[in-house]
Amino acid sequence: MPDLKDMTPGEILTEASVSDFIKALGVSIADAQRALDENSVEQIAHFVQPRDGLGGRSLMDLGLSPSFYHYQHADVAVALQISLKQIEETSIGLNLGVKVDTGSTSNDSSNSSSSSSETGSSTSTSHRQAEVKIAMKSEGALKVGGQDYQLQGTDPRARIADLRQRLAGSQSSGIERSLATHECAPVNPSVTPASEKVVTTPNTVTFLGGGTYSAAIIRISANPGVAETYTLRSGTSVDVEPAADVAAYAGKVSAAIKGLGYDTFIVGGPKRKLQEVFHEFDQEEFDHDPAYKSWQNPSLQNLAGWLKKTGHAITLEGMTDTSGPPPYNVKLGTARGAYVHQRMLDYAAPADQMTLLPSKGEQHWRDLGQPDSVKDEDHRIVDMRFKDVTDWFVVVRGDDAHPIVKAEVKPDQLANPASGANGFVHVYRPQGGTLTGSSRKVSASGQDFPLRGTGAGGQAEHAPESYAINLAADINANAAAKLKAWVNGATVHLCPEGAEWTLTLLTSESREIQLSGTDDVTVTTQFSRTQSQSITQTKTGTTTVAVGVTLDVRYSKQYETNVTGNSSIAARIVAVPAPPEFLATIKEYLS
């Protein structure tokens, strides 16, 4: 028989002699038939023998005869089971020997030796944070390292701003940076009678209009085949020739209008960039800097009106530069994003069209390769982007000397602000005017506060800022309202007097700084203890290493074959009488 490992199942079946197996079964059936016939013949002698009990007659004389049996049919079933099992096994053994000698050398070419000498030291000190709660109504003091810092100012925001400035400016305090945030229960002020120039949110009242700022937004959706004329007012126009593509054409429109004396910048496009709102160092609000405040508030007011007209959706994300520890910067970035988001709500931007993204602090710039501990004004921003628009837009800003007249702009696409051809899609120009002619008032906490347009804080009479300053003063003077108010631009912020500021303090000094407070100034988290580490290490020596390796590989293969079979026979046997002639002949023969 051939080697089983080289045979197929069919070849194994052939070698198993199935035909011989079936032949043996058939012969056994024939042998059985012959045995039955011989048995019947042997019975005849008993049937023809005379019996005394029968009067000398035989069974055959009585009509009886032996039966003959015959296989009417037979079914033969044969089954074979063949199993072939193959087992392969590979084993690998690895032996590794290492010998290390210190202070010795060897001439063995398979050895390696090295000699080193290292001396150095390092010192690291981490930033530490503390947290203080200060009630809106508090006029108490914060004690830092034994020195009192009394709260000073006419309103809660002024007191917090003054405290932060004095802490940062004092070397003895050890406080390098601070962050102020607050959460207020809704006050829900209302205005009666209502006016589109007064916007309320749960904790703010904002007065719109005023100022010399004017703005427009021009959509650039295509690179035209011929030159287009852009008119900002009668007598102030510029022709712009086609460019290589849409982006280049938007750049040409921006440059051409800037040449007329207007300020312009480009937004939108594939990156969907809308605007960057800049902040001072370590500030969550931008209103502290007059340079930022003078144009960013009107710019946001312009964008809010545009969003309301078009239905465009945007995202906002607060960011910081890489100076300061990352956890602190995440808090600062979060506060910046929340502040700009609230400013957009103050200017009546629809809340469902804005998504405030979680701040990652400095991480955006670190991912772009910016090194740590770098102060960069361009990175202290709230990044605003479109969610659903990829057109290019040219934002135009004017002033009294360079106004933008809504009724005279061309190409005029003001009726199609959401989508369409190139042209002006939004024009904003503040409109001043009185708000006191209808006995208009603001109601909050069950108290009414009539609006007063008297000039205040160096602002003109009936200026939005004057209305805001007067309203905040009236609220703070009304003890029954139990509210505290402060002003950002032309927005009045309202909080219950029991609400609190959360002041986060940051230091990198190693000395211990103990904090305490009085009159609703509560220290909730002290600075952690100083953590510093100094390591000095000196190492000299010579090391010799000998390595030996052995590898043992073994391979084995086993084959196992089982062939088993079974059979079954189903047969039908019938009894038939012997032929009369046969019986007569037998009877005569036996007689």
Side-chain angles (χ1 to χ4, degrees):
M1 184 175 183
D3 194 340
L4 287 175
K5 71 182 181 67
D6 298 324
M7 296 175 64
T8 65
E11 293 171 338
I12 295 174
L13 186 62
T14 302
E15 290 293 331
S17 301
V18 177
S19 59
D20 293 341
F21 193 26
I22 296 174
K23 176 182 177 182
L25 292 174
V27 170
S28 65
I29 294 173
D31 290 342
Q33 179 66 64
R34 184 179 61 208
L36 290 173
D37 292 342
E38 290 176 350
N39 179 69
S40 297
V41 171
E42 289 176 358
Q43 295 299 321
I44 293 176
H46 297 284
F47 277 81
V48 299
Q49 182 179 358
R51 298 179 183 272
D52 294 339
L54 297 178
R57 292 181 297 176
S58 67
L59 293 176
M60 193 172 289
D61 291 336
L62 297 177
L64 299 176
S65 63
S67 295
F68 283 81
Y69 297 92
H70 173 65
Y71 279 103
Q72 192 174 37
H73 71 267
D75 295 328
V76 178
V78 179
L80 290 179
Q81 291 82 37
I82 302 173
S83 65
L84 177 62
K85 182 166 65 174
Q86 176 179 305
I87 302 174
E88 297 185 32
E89 182 177 358
T90 302
S91 62
I92 300 176
L94 177 64
N95 295 317
L96 176 64
V98 180
K99 181 179 180 181
V100 180
D101 291 327
T102 302
S104 62
T105 60
S106 173
N107 293 325
D108 190 340
S109 61
S110 64
N111 293 344
S112 64
S113 63
S114 63
S115 177
S116 65
S117 177
E118 177 183 326
T119 301
S121 63
S122 64
T123 302
S124 63
T125 302
S126 62
H127 286 89
R128 297 178 293 149
Q129 294 186 28
E131 188 175 276
V132 180
K133 299 286 188 180
I134 302 176
M136 294 285 174
K137 63 181 180 179
S138 175
E139 296 182 359
L142 175 65
K143 181 175 290 188
V144 181
Q147 181 177 351
D148 286 340
Y149 291 85
Q150 187 70 38
L151 295 178
Q152 300 174 4
T154 57
D155 59 60
R157 178 174 177 266
R159 290 191 285 271
I160 286 293
D162 175 76
L163 174 62
R164 294 174 66 188
Q165 185 176 10
R166 285 187 288 138
L167 287 173
S170 171
Q171 291 185 351
S172 62
S173 74
I175 308 299
E176 300 169 10
R177 301 176 64 172
S178 62
L179 170 65
T181 58
H182 68 275
E183 293 184 5
C184 296
V187 175
N188 298 317
S190 61
V191 179
T192 308
S195 171
E196 63 179 9
K197 295 182 180 180
V198 184
V199 179
T200 62
T201 72
N203 292 95
T204 62
V205 179
T206 301
F207 298 90
L208 304 181
T212 61
Y213 178 89
S214 61
I217 298 176
I218 303 172
R219 178 178 57 234
I220 305 297
S221 59
N223 183 30
V226 296
E228 292 180 327
T229 300
Y230 288 85
T231 302
L232 292 97
R233 60 170 175 162
S234 180
T236 304
S237 300
V238 63
D239 294 333
V240 183
E241 297 290 336
D245 52 37
V246 180
Y249 184 68
K252 292 186 70 173
V253 172
S254 177
I257 295 176
K258 183 173 290 188
L260 298 176
Y262 295 85
D263 186 19
T264 65
F265 59 93
I266 300 174
V267 301
K271 294 185 178 180
R272 302 179 179 180
K273 192 169 185 178
L274 177 57
Q275 182 169 325
E276 292 176 341
V277 182
F278 294 92
H279 291 70
E280 292 179 87
F281 175 73
D282 210 30
Q283 295 294 331
E284 67 279 2
E285 303 174 358
F286 57 77
D287 298 87
H288 296 278
D289 189 329
Y292 290 155
K293 180 179 178 179
S294 63
W295 71 269
Q296 290 193 144
N297 273 321
S299 180
L300 293 179
Q301 190 170 342
N302 174 40
L303 291 178
W306 183 39
L307 293 182
K308 193 173 182 179
K309 283 185 177 181
T310 62
H312 293 326
I314 65 170
T315 62
L316 304 90
E317 181 181 358
M319 300 181 183
T320 72
D321 58 26
T322 61
S323 62
Y328 178 87
N329 284 338
V330 169
K331 287 184 180 181
L332 179 56
T334 299
R336 285 174 176 168
Y339 180 74
V340 175
H341 181 262
Q342 179 60 49
R343 296 303 274 166
M344 292 292 287
L345 294 174
D346 294 338
Y347 294 135
D352 59 357
Q353 292 173 222
M354 298 187 295
T355 301
L356 179 59
L357 301 178
S359 174
K360 295 180 288 188
E362 65 183 61
Q363 193 58 46
H364 175 78
W365 309 113
R366 296 304 302 272
D367 291 343
L368 295 178
Q370 180 73 20
D372 193 15
S373 302
V374 175
K375 294 182 179 180
D376 192 327
E377 179 183 18
D378 292 336
H379 294 171
R380 300 193 292 265
I381 63 171
V382 172
D383 184 58
M384 304 174 68
R385 294 180 185 269
F386 291 108
K387 289 179 67 175
D388 56 356
V389 179
T390 57
D391 285 338
W392 293 96
F393 297 90
V394 177
V395 180
V396 184
R397 293 200 295 254
D399 51 31
D400 278 347
H402 302 87
I404 303 171
V405 181
K406 184 175 182 179
E408 298 174 356
V409 296
K410 293 180 181 179
D412 184 351
Q413 288 290 321
L414 297 175
N416 304 296
S419 62
N422 296 349
F424 287 84
V425 294
H426 180 67
V427 175
Y428 166 78
R429 183 170 178 82
Q431 300 296 321
T434 178
L435 292 170
T436 58
S438 302
S439 300
R440 190 167 278 109
K441 63 183 179 180
V442 171
S443 300
S445 294
Q447 302 294 310
D448 293 334
F449 303 94
L451 297 185
R452 297 190 293 118
T454 306
Q459 301 293 325
E461 184 179 14
H462 298 300
E465 293 82 1
S466 293
Y467 282 106
I469 293 170
N470 291 329
L471 176 60
D474 292 343
I475 292 174
N476 287 329
N478 189 321
K482 296 184 178 181
L483 296 175
K484 292 300 178 182
W486 65 93
V487 176
N488 274 351
T491 297
V492 180
H493 295 259
L494 306 174
C495 274
E497 63 180 12
E500 294 179 321
W501 293 96
T502 298
L503 188 63
T504 302
L505 306 176
L506 187 71
T507 183
S508 62
E509 292 193 7
S510 59
R511 64 185 174 92
E512 299 301 326
I513 302 176
Q514 192 67 26
L515 304 175
S516 62
T518 63
D519 297 334
D520 295 316
V521 177
T522 306
V523 179
T524 56
T525 304
Q526 292 280 359
F527 286 111
S528 60
R529 291 186 176 274
T530 303
Q531 295 181 353
S532 62
Q533 186 177 33
S534 179
I535 302 173
T536 302
Q537 185 179 44
T538 301
K539 182 180 179 181
T540 61
T542 301
T543 302
T544 302
V545 181
V547 180
V549 180
T550 60
L551 181 66
D552 181 19
V553 181
R554 298 184 181 184
Y555 175 77
S556 64
K557 206 170 191 180
Q558 296 179 344
Y559 297 91
E560 179 181 326
T561 303
N562 292 318
V563 180
T564 59
N566 58 70
S567 63
S568 63
I569 300 175
R572 182 177 180 182
I573 303 175
V574 296
V576 295
E581 294 83 355
F582 173 75
L583 292 176
T585 302
I586 294 299
K587 185 176 182 181
E588 181 181 352
Y589 170 76
L590 293 175
S591 300

